[in-house]
Amino acid sequence: MPLWKGQNSEICHCMSTRHWKALMGRFTDGSVDILAWMLSAADDPLFFMHHSFIDCIWEEFRTTRQKTDRYTEYPTQYWDVGGTEHMADSPMMPMGLLNKDGLSAKYTEDLYNCAPRPTCNTTTPDCGSDYLFCDLRSTPRCLARVREGGFCVGVEDGCALGLQCCGKYCKQTCNN
């Protein structure tokens, strides 16, 4: 999501369910039962962590860049949102809210808040976590440390704790 944009319409391109399934089929070569995958995705604990992170990115966009009234930006035509269940005034089940309520500040202020994302810079290259390192190759940013066996060229100091970059890969010990 480009955080430098200022309106929903500049970043949201809603697709119908038919287009979504076609897109997923393209990425999976049609080998995954998309409906079964969509029905079971929430069973994976990573689903909630991923969506919580997406919510925090959305909130960052909303609070730092959005300049218009969000309620007026919700798509108004059903073909723009993928069906009548996605229309602005349709219920967001099982929450007792309307879909357009997902764009309101009250929704985000009452239900959750996000911790700031870790940052680093050239003078303080510390991300505040054993699981992150400060990537100084371009604009400094915090990245996840590289796991054992992971590729470490260019981020030699980014191997997980107790590992070192040996040649191209993070290992416990380097064998010459």
Side-chain angles (χ1 to χ4, degrees):
M1 173 189 313
L3 293 177
W4 58 88
K5 302 291 185 179
Q7 295 181 304
N8 290 350
S9 58
E10 293 178 297
I11 60 172
C12 293
H13 303 287
C14 300
M15 298 188 311
S16 69
T17 305
R18 178 175 51 91
H19 291 113
W20 171 249
K21 287 180 181 177
L23 181 64
M24 288 302 295
R26 172 180 277 177
F27 285 116
T28 62
D29 294 330
S31 61
V32 174
D33 181 349
I34 299 303
L35 184 57
W37 174 79
M38 288 172 30
L39 292 175
S40 65
D43 293 338
D44 186 342
L46 289 176
F47 174 88
F48 292 101
M49 292 191 322
H50 169 74
H51 282 274
S52 295
F53 182 64
I54 297 301
D55 287 346
C56 286
I57 292 173
W58 173 253
E59 184 63 6
E60 180 181 335
F61 161 76
R62 188 193 70 71
T63 57
T64 61
R65 300 290 182 174
Q66 196 165 29
K67 297 169 179 45
T68 59
D69 178 21
R70 289 170 290 165
Y71 271 116
T72 63
E73 286 204 37
Y74 201 95
T76 57
Q77 299 169 334
Y78 78 91
W79 56 84
D80 290 341
V81 294
T84 57
E85 68 276 8
H86 298 290
M87 302 261 317
D89 291 318
S90 294
M92 187 189 313
M93 303 305 280
M95 311 245 237
L97 301 169
L98 300 178
N99 286 332
K100 68 182 179 184
D101 293 333
L103 297 180
S104 75
K106 183 169 177 39
Y107 175 74
T108 55
E109 290 167 0
D110 291 348
L111 296 179
Y112 68 88
N113 41 30
C114 301
R117 287 192 275 167
T119 60
C120 63
N121 56 53
T122 54
T123 56
T124 311
D126 180 25
C127 295
S129 170
D130 290 342
Y131 302 101
L132 301 173
F133 76 100
C134 186
D135 180 14
L136 298 169
R137 291 177 292 176
S138 59
T139 302
R141 62 187 177 150
C142 294
L143 296 178
R145 290 196 174 276
V146 182
R147 64 177 172 75
E148 186 171 5
F151 191 70
C152 58
V153 171
V155 291
E156 286 77 6
D157 60 340
C159 290
L161 297 181
L163 302 177
Q164 53 190 320
C165 189
C166 302
K168 297 180 181 179
Y169 304 98
C170 291
K171 299 179 182 179
Q172 289 187 7
T173 58
C174 294
N175 299 329
N176 293 341

